[in-house]
Amino acid sequence: MEKIKVEICCGTACYLLGAAKLMNLEEHLHESLKDKVDIQARTCLGLCERENLGGAPFVMFNGTEIMSNASLEKVLDRLNLLIEGDK
Ligand code: FES
Protein backbone atom coordinates (compact mmCIF):
# COMPACT_ATOMS: atom_id res chain seq x y z
CA MET A 1 0.00 0.00 0.00
CA GLU A 2 1.31 3.41 -0.95
CA LYS A 3 1.53 5.94 1.83
CA ILE A 4 -1.16 8.57 1.96
CA LYS A 5 0.46 11.93 1.38
CA VAL A 6 -0.78 14.68 3.67
CA GLU A 7 0.45 18.17 2.88
CA ILE A 8 -0.26 20.69 5.59
CA CYS A 9 -0.11 24.28 4.45
CA CYS A 10 1.98 26.40 6.77
CA GLY A 11 1.65 29.63 4.82
CA THR A 12 0.73 32.67 6.86
CA ALA A 13 -3.06 32.47 6.50
CA CYS A 14 -3.21 28.76 7.24
CA TYR A 15 -0.71 28.95 10.06
CA LEU A 16 -2.60 31.73 11.82
CA LEU A 17 -5.91 29.91 11.45
CA GLY A 18 -4.81 26.60 12.89
CA ALA A 19 -2.12 24.89 10.84
CA ALA A 20 0.21 25.10 13.82
CA LYS A 21 -2.00 22.58 15.61
CA LEU A 22 -2.18 20.40 12.52
CA MET A 23 1.57 20.04 12.60
CA ASN A 24 1.04 17.80 15.65
CA LEU A 25 -0.88 15.37 13.48
CA GLU A 26 1.66 12.59 13.75
CA GLU A 27 1.36 12.56 17.55
CA HIS A 28 -2.37 11.97 17.19
CA LEU A 29 -2.12 9.16 14.67
CA HIS A 30 -2.79 5.69 15.96
CA GLU A 31 0.45 3.72 16.14
CA SER A 32 -0.74 1.35 13.42
CA LEU A 33 -1.27 4.24 10.99
CA LYS A 34 2.04 6.00 11.36
CA ASP A 35 3.78 4.02 8.64
CA LYS A 36 0.87 4.55 6.26
CA VAL A 37 0.91 8.32 6.24
CA ASP A 38 3.51 10.72 4.89
CA ILE A 39 3.04 14.14 6.52
CA GLN A 40 4.69 17.16 4.95
CA ALA A 41 4.63 20.85 5.80
CA ARG A 42 4.23 23.13 2.81
CA THR A 43 4.52 26.81 2.15
CA CYS A 44 1.36 28.47 0.82
CA LEU A 45 -0.42 26.01 -1.44
CA GLY A 46 -2.09 28.92 -3.23
CA LEU A 47 -5.52 27.82 -2.06
CA CYS A 48 -6.14 30.72 0.29
CA GLU A 49 -6.38 33.02 -2.73
CA ARG A 50 -9.16 31.06 -4.36
CA GLU A 51 -12.62 32.21 -3.36
CA ASN A 52 -14.65 29.05 -3.77
CA LEU A 53 -12.65 26.63 -1.68
CA GLY A 54 -13.66 27.58 1.84
CA GLY A 55 -11.36 28.85 4.52
CA ALA A 56 -7.89 28.19 5.80
CA PRO A 57 -6.22 26.13 7.06
CA PHE A 58 -5.90 23.89 4.03
CA VAL A 59 -4.66 20.33 3.82
CA MET A 60 -4.07 18.40 0.61
CA PHE A 61 -4.39 14.60 0.44
CA ASN A 62 -2.46 12.69 -2.19
CA GLY A 63 -1.84 15.84 -4.18
CA THR A 64 -5.41 16.19 -5.36
CA GLU A 65 -7.98 16.27 -2.58
CA ILE A 66 -8.32 19.60 -0.82
CA MET A 67 -9.67 19.98 2.70
CA SER A 68 -10.57 23.48 3.85
CA ASN A 69 -11.14 24.59 7.44
CA ALA A 70 -9.00 21.63 8.40
CA SER A 71 -8.82 20.52 12.01
CA LEU A 72 -7.02 17.61 13.61
CA GLU A 73 -10.34 15.82 14.02
CA LYS A 74 -11.34 16.30 10.37
CA VAL A 75 -7.95 15.19 9.09
CA LEU A 76 -7.91 12.10 11.31
CA ASP A 77 -11.44 11.16 10.20
CA ARG A 78 -10.48 11.54 6.55
CA LEU A 79 -7.31 9.51 6.98
CA ASN A 80 -9.24 6.70 8.62
CA LEU A 81 -11.65 6.62 5.69
CA LEU A 82 -8.85 6.70 3.12
CA ILE A 83 -7.00 3.89 4.87
CA GLU A 84 -10.11 1.76 5.32
CA GLY A 85 -10.98 2.30 1.66
CA ASP A 86 -7.58 0.92 0.72
CA LYS A 87 -8.08 -2.42 2.49
S1 FES B 1 -1.49 30.15 3.30
FE1 FES B 1 -2.30 28.14 3.10
S2 FES B 1 -3.03 28.05 1.07
FE2 FES B 1 -2.10 30.00 1.26
Side-chain angles (χ1 to χ4, degrees):
M1 177 184 147
E2 245 181 72
K3 285 188 175 189
I4 295 171
K5 188 167 149 191
V6 180
E7 295 171 275
I8 299 171
C9 180
C10 289
T12 306
C14 289
Y15 194 82
L16 291 175
L17 290 169
K21 276 190 191 156
L22 295 175
M23 290 310 297
N24 298 324
L25 176 62
E26 188 164 359
E27 293 170 24
H28 294 267
L29 281 179
H30 190 273
E31 205 57 44
S32 64
L33 301 185
K34 287 189 178 173
D35 63 341
K36 296 178 177 152
V37 179
D38 176 21
I39 302 168
Q40 300 174 3
R42 290 282 184 236
T43 55
C44 178
L45 295 169
L47 304 170
C48 56
E49 293 168 11
R50 294 210 238 152
E51 285 178 12
N52 55 346
L53 291 179
F58 290 98
V59 171
M60 181 96 77
F61 296 91
N62 291 328
T64 54
E65 183 185 325
I66 296 165
M67 176 183 282
S68 60
N69 299 306
S71 64
L72 271 176
E73 190 176 49
K74 278 175 71 175
V75 172
L76 288 167
D77 284 350
R78 188 66 190 127
L79 280 174
N80 281 326
L81 281 176
L82 287 170
I83 288 166
E84 280 175 20
D86 227 26
K87 283 182 187 168

